[in-house]
Amino acid sequence: MALLMEKGAEPQTEKELADLDAIAALKESAAIELKEEGNKYVKMGKKHYSEAINCYTRAINQNALSDTETSIIFSNRAHVNLLLGNYGRALSDSEEAMKLSPTNVKAFYRAAKASLSLNKLVEAKTFCENGLDQNPDNEELKKLLKQIDSQISEHQQHEAQVSKALTSAKGLVSAIEDRALNIGKAMFQELTGLKKPILDKDHILHWPVLLLYAEVMSSDFIEDFCETDISAPLPWDKENAYTRDAIELYYEAGSGVRLSKREIISTFLQGTVASHLESFGDDEIDGVKSSPKGISSIGEGRSKWVKVNERRTLHAVLKEPNLIIPGIPVFFVVSKRSSFYKEFKSGNWSLPF
């Protein structure tokens, strides 16, 4: 009997040949039946999709149909996997279908759909174009190709924006390194948001500056303070305690930890389309500090209040070696006419947090 023949053995008699033909016919019939059964399960809805996949798999495993018919079954299984969100399996089935029948347009369409869902936009476009080579009038492929082209365009625009944001952040860090400034962790963002310095076309830094009135813990915010300007506060209070001749300006020295170059770039990317980046495309960034000597903090023990010489430019003040800029410059404004002035100058006052 043909069923008892050893694997690889050639049939010797007409009986064995007939048996083999009968077995092949049975397997072919079973495969076709399983395919049709699978199609019925698909029409019955999502609850029966797993049964449809099982039928298609068993039909394929019969190894009894032509390449063209088997291609259709792979394509059908790809369709069900798409419906289930099994995009990787759908793509694999579609590719098998295309190998077996390069003219199976549905397989190209489903491969494109799966690739699109996997965000493989270039591959999706190629599948669409190859499918249209087979059938130039296929409206589904035309519509899908238009959708893919639109997403590719959006992706390219997004990548261009990310690149621009990263280039800007690196430019800021380079300018800060050139000026030997120390940047620390951003503070007071509840008052300033995600404001950051801007480097203009003349390579001049424009800083957002926060002025804190230490006695009453109110604040003023200057959005654009050019580094070449004299560091003089502009606002004053209603009771005239903070008139121009009465106020003094201070910064807190020896406070904070100097950020690394990588950390500064991450800070400057906050609030941009590139905020998600973990790699900045430059191996030299890793481990490099934002200023020389590799010191992670400045000052020892208690921080100090240092009076600002208001005849100096903002740049000259910020490059003081004992000043770590907490994201953006922060200066404390006190009035010599206030009773609070003595407490502040004595060093007994500190930020209430």
Side-chain angles (χ1 to χ4, degrees), residues 129-248:
E129 291 174 338
N130 290 343
L132 286 169
D133 286 342
Q134 300 296 325
N135 185 353
D137 298 324
N138 190 289
E139 292 300 325
E140 284 187 318
L141 281 171
K142 288 181 182 179
K143 183 178 178 181
L144 184 58
L145 180 58
K146 187 176 181 180
Q147 179 184 349
I148 292 167
D149 282 337
S150 175
Q151 289 201 24
I152 288 175
S153 178
E154 290 176 8
H155 178 74
Q156 289 172 340
Q157 290 177 17
H158 177 75
E159 288 300 304
Q161 291 171 346
V162 169
S163 178
K164 182 178 179 181
L166 181 56
T167 299
S168 176
K170 286 184 176 181
L172 280 173
V173 171
S174 178
I176 286 167
E177 285 185 320
D178 291 343
R179 290 159 174 75
L181 304 182
N182 306 307
I183 304 295
K185 184 178 179 181
M187 298 178 63
F188 308 107
Q189 287 188 328
E190 68 279 5
L191 299 175
T192 65
L194 296 175
K195 296 291 185 180
K196 55 182 71 69
I198 297 173
L199 191 65
D200 69 19
K201 59 183 178 62
D202 297 317
H203 206 66
I204 294 173
L205 280 173
H206 295 252
W207 288 93
V209 173
L210 180 65
L211 301 176
L212 289 177
Y213 296 86
E215 181 177 9
V216 294
M217 284 309 292
S218 64
S219 65
D220 281 304
F221 185 54
I222 303 173
E223 293 201 18
D224 187 343
F225 201 143
C226 181
E227 66 177 345
T228 58
D229 290 345
I230 302 298
S231 55
L234 302 178
W236 49 282
D237 72 326
K238 295 179 181 179
E239 297 178 0
N240 294 324
Y242 287 80
T243 55
R244 189 65 193 84
D245 61 333
I247 60 174
E248 292 180 345

Side-chain angles (χ1 to χ4, degrees), residues 7-45:
K7 188 175 180 180
E10 292 292 332
Q12 301 297 319
T13 66
E14 290 186 6
K15 173 64 173 171
E16 289 176 342
L17 286 169
D19 287 345
L20 288 176
D21 288 341
I23 292 169
L26 286 172
K27 293 180 71 175
E28 180 181 2
S29 177
I32 293 172
E33 188 175 329
L34 286 166
K35 172 192 168 186
E36 296 302 323
E37 190 176 354
N39 293 344
K40 289 179 183 178
Y41 279 129
V42 174
K43 293 177 182 178
M44 291 170 66

